[in-house]
Amino acid sequence: MLNKTVLKCNAFKKIAILSAFASIFLVGCSSDQSYKREVEGNDDYLNSPLLKALVIPEGVSVPVEAGDFYVDNNDIEGALGKQLDIRPPTVPIPTIDDAFVIYNNGTVTFNAPISYGIWNNIPNSLAKQNISIITSDNNTIKTGNSIIARGDEQQPVDASYIFKRQILGETETITMVLDTLTRGNENLMSQPIEVQRYVVGLFNQIMDDVAPESLRTVPVKEKTDEDKKDDKESDPNKTLKEDLKDEIRDSIRNDR
């Protein structure tokens, strides 16, 4: 009985040590987020030698030239290989009923019933993101420069925003734009994808904060016998753990 318990405890210690090493390894790997932006695989093709002009000996006839397999040897502008950002544009997502949103040329325009109190919730959402407000009134909010960090970026940006509101009957139309956007010494305001990523990203954060509880609660599905069987198979040590718990309970009862 004692030997069996000791062996099981040793097995748990080994599992715990291996889990700790695996966690440390994963944390070290997760510090580099470039894989979220780069195409998978190598880019050795970029080092391919340039095509040479075809030398045709005298007296040899050649087919008529066609453009089906034309290769453009001109210089290509823009990012290539690992420098190409493969992330899709961020899309604005409204999370409340009777609302609509559009994004166009750096501006998010959002319309919703006043009863939802979206405008009044914006300061709380900004505070959660550590974004300061320098001026505000009933129709305008202007933020100060704040550091915005994303999980898929190595370096954060400095950004400031302007919100404006117009009341139309029982609805309010809120526009949201970036006032400034920089990363280090680089001004990103002329890069449409970066502008969209950070203005729409903050809008979606605001929408997440005001989303109704029904969208946050995942319906609980009752487990079937097949699901319970899969759970046991997914954890090969589950039976060992259960046996150890039973033996510990028995030992406590016997001591009493």
Side-chain angles (χ1 to χ4, degrees), residues 120-148:
N120 295 330
N121 275 287
I122 289 177
N124 294 332
S125 295
L126 295 177
K128 288 182 180 179
Q129 303 298 319
N130 294 320
I131 299 175
S132 61
I133 296 176
I134 56 176
T135 60
S136 67
D137 55 38
N138 289 333
N139 297 312
T140 304
I141 297 174
K142 187 172 183 179
T143 77
N145 284 331
S146 303
I147 297 175
I148 309 294

Side-chain angles (χ1 to χ4, degrees), residues 67-123:
D68 294 347
F69 304 101
Y70 176 75
V71 177
D72 188 359
N73 289 323
N74 295 325
D75 293 335
I76 299 175
E77 297 182 359
L80 295 173
K82 298 295 184 183
Q83 301 302 317
L84 179 64
D85 193 330
I86 63 171
R87 291 173 294 176
T90 307
V91 179
I93 303 174
T95 58
I96 57 177
D97 294 332
D98 303 319
F100 72 86
V101 59
I102 57 172
Y103 174 81
N104 183 43
N105 197 27
T107 302
V108 172
T109 303
F110 174 70
N111 180 270
I114 296 178
S115 58
Y116 282 108
I118 305 300
W119 180 260
N120 295 330
N121 275 287
I122 289 177

Side-chain angles (χ1 to χ4, degrees), residues 85 87-90 103 188 190-198:
D85 193 330
R87 291 173 294 176
T90 307
Y103 174 81
L188 304 178
S190 60
Q191 300 184 27
I193 293 297
E194 294 283 11
V195 170
Q196 182 172 352
R197 184 170 292 125
Y198 284 95

Side-chain angles (χ1 to χ4, degrees), residues 42-57:
N42 65 58
D43 52 6
D44 293 343
Y45 68 93
L46 295 175
N47 300 320
S48 301
L50 296 176
L51 295 176
K52 295 181 180 179
L54 179 63
V55 178
I56 304 174

Side-chain angles (χ1 to χ4, degrees), residues 196-209:
Q196 182 172 352
R197 184 170 292 125
Y198 284 95
V199 70
V200 175
L202 181 58
F203 170 80
N204 286 340
Q205 289 285 350
I206 295 172
M207 285 292 97
D208 183 63
D209 291 337

Side-chain angles (χ1 to χ4, degrees), residues 109-245:
T109 303
F110 174 70
N111 180 270
I114 296 178
S115 58
Y116 282 108
I118 305 300
W119 180 260
N120 295 330
N121 275 287
I122 289 177
N124 294 332
S125 295
L126 295 177
K128 288 182 180 179
Q129 303 298 319
N130 294 320
I131 299 175
S132 61
I133 296 176
I134 56 176
T135 60
S136 67
D137 55 38
N138 289 333
N139 297 312
T140 304
I141 297 174
K142 187 172 183 179
T143 77
N145 284 331
S146 303
I147 297 175
I148 309 294
R150 288 175 54 98
D152 54 0
E153 289 285 2
Q154 296 290 99
Q155 185 179 355
V157 300
D158 286 315
S160 61
Y161 299 84
I162 297 176
F163 299 81
K164 291 188 177 181
R165 177 176 72 155
Q166 182 179 6
I167 297 177
L168 301 171
E170 298 298 319
T171 68
E172 57 183 2
T173 298
I174 299 171
T175 59
M176 174 182 172
V177 297
L178 275 163
D179 192 27
T180 61
L181 181 66
T182 59
R183 180 180 290 117
N185 295 324
E186 182 183 8
N187 187 350
L188 304 178
M189 290 295 287
S190 60
Q191 300 184 27
I193 293 297
E194 294 283 11
V195 170
Q196 182 172 352
R197 184 170 292 125
Y198 284 95
V199 70
V200 175
L202 181 58
F203 170 80
N204 286 340
Q205 289 285 350
I206 295 172
M207 285 292 97
D208 183 63
D209 291 337
V210 300
E213 195 61 33
S214 59
L215 292 180
R216 305 178 187 277
T217 305
V218 179
V220 178
K221 179 183 176 183
E222 187 174 349
K223 288 190 176 183
T224 63
D225 293 337
E226 190 66 26
D227 293 333
K228 294 176 182 178
K229 181 181 177 183
D230 292 340
D231 288 344
K232 289 183 178 180
E233 292 176 353
S234 64
D235 186 359
N237 299 305
K238 189 169 184 177
T239 303
L240 184 62
K241 295 175 183 177
E242 300 267 349
D243 291 343
L244 185 57
K245 287 180 182 178

